[in-house]
Structures are given as C-alpha cells and as structure tokens.
C-alpha cells in the first residue's frame, strides 16, 4: 500500500526505531505515547483492520497475541493494556491493523 505509513515503516522507507521484528510483524514505539511504554504491534502484511480478518489469519493473530506478554516483560512491565481501535467510529486513525500495548502510568481509560 503506497500511501500507508505503517507499510512504509515495514518497508523501512520511514524510520520508527523498530525494537522487534520477525517474518510476520514489526514492533515500534508509538510517536505520541500515552503511557511509559506504548508500543505498536503491526503485521507486515497490509490488513486494514480487524474487520478484514478471516480464519485464514488465525495463525497470524495467535502469533501476535502471544508476542504481547513477551514484549511487555522485555519492557519490564508486570501488567499491560492492549487496545485495537477498529474503523473510524472505533477511533482508528491509521488504516493498517495494529495493536497498542500500554504499560506504566496509563493515561487513557479502557
Ligand atoms: P489508531 O488511532 O489508528 O489506533 O493509532 C494510530 C497510532 O499510530 C497513534 O497512536 C499515532 O500516534 C501512531 N502513529 C501514527 N503515525 C506514526 C508514525 O509515523 N510513527 C509512529 N511511531 N507512530 C505513529
Ligand atoms: Zn499498510
């Protein structure tokens, strides 16, 4: 997706201080953090949102979810909050599926 900022980060044409990467996803800090730790977990494949997933994506989603506690532990957090904004009405601003991982001094309500 040419105009997608997260595709550009995946392609490394835009820098985002990627702190974890594997075949399926990248992880980098949110540029406007809402907590001491605020990471974005982003699948490399462009998927608009949760609304565009199907069961063919089961393995990808399981992989992403299982990565969350590992990342949180790596950041020294014992607990964390995850948020997936979905669609404009759901507060999604970047139309490339991503999971927010927040920990420490959370400044937003569930
Ligand atoms: P959304 O509202 O779509 O769930 O969240 C998008 C998030 O991406 C926002 O929290 C915003 O701060 C973050 N973001 C948008 N563009 C960039 C960028 O170019 N780099 C980084 N690191 N974060 C971004
Ligand atoms: Zn994209």
């Amino acid at each position: 997706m040419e105009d997608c900022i997260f595709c550009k980060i995946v392609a490394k044409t835009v820098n985002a201080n990627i702190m974890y990467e594997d075949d399926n996803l990248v992880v980098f800090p949110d540029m406007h953090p809402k907590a001491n730790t605020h990471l974005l977990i982003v699948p490399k494949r462009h998927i608009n949102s949760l609304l565009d997933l199907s069961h063919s994506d089961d393995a990808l989603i399981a992989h992403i979810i299982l990565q969350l506690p590992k990342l949180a532990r790596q950041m020294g957090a014992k607990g964390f909050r995850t948020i997936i904004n979905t669609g404009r009405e759901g507060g999604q601003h970047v139309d490339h599926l991503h999971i927010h991982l927040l920990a420490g001094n959370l400044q937003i309500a569930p």
Side-chain angles (χ1 to χ4, degrees):
M1 290 285 284
E2 274 174 25
D3 288 332
C4 171
I5 184 67
F6 287 177
C7 280
K8 288 178 183 168
I9 288 172
V10 168
K12 302 194 171 121
T13 54
V14 168
N15 181 50
N17 297 319
I18 291 173
M19 55 166 290
Y20 174 83
E21 176 176 13
D22 62 29
D23 288 347
N24 297 300
L25 56 90
V26 295
V27 180
F28 51 88
D30 196 294
M31 67 178 353
H32 299 302
K34 302 285 197 307
N36 290 349
T37 294
H38 185 170
L39 305 179
L40 298 173
I41 294 82
V42 177
K44 286 186 169 177
R45 176 159 61 91
H46 182 94
I47 302 165
N48 277 296
S49 80
L50 278 187
L51 294 167
D52 300 287
L53 286 176
S54 71
H55 278 299
S56 62
D57 301 304
D58 283 355
L60 174 65
I61 298 309
H63 177 64
I64 290 176
I65 297 292
L66 290 171
Q67 204 60 42
L68 297 171
K70 294 184 191 174
L71 290 162
R73 254 184 239 121
Q74 201 176 314
M75 300 304 289
K78 294 195 176 84
F80 58 92
R81 177 175 294 161
T82 49
I83 296 175
I84 310 176
N85 296 322
T86 302
R88 281 291 171 277
E89 291 181 25
Q92 183 176 3
H93 294 94
V94 175
D95 292 330
H96 181 135
L97 178 65
H98 53 282
I99 299 184
H100 296 259
L101 186 162
L102 300 123
N105 191 24
L106 302 179
Q107 287 164 28
I108 46 179

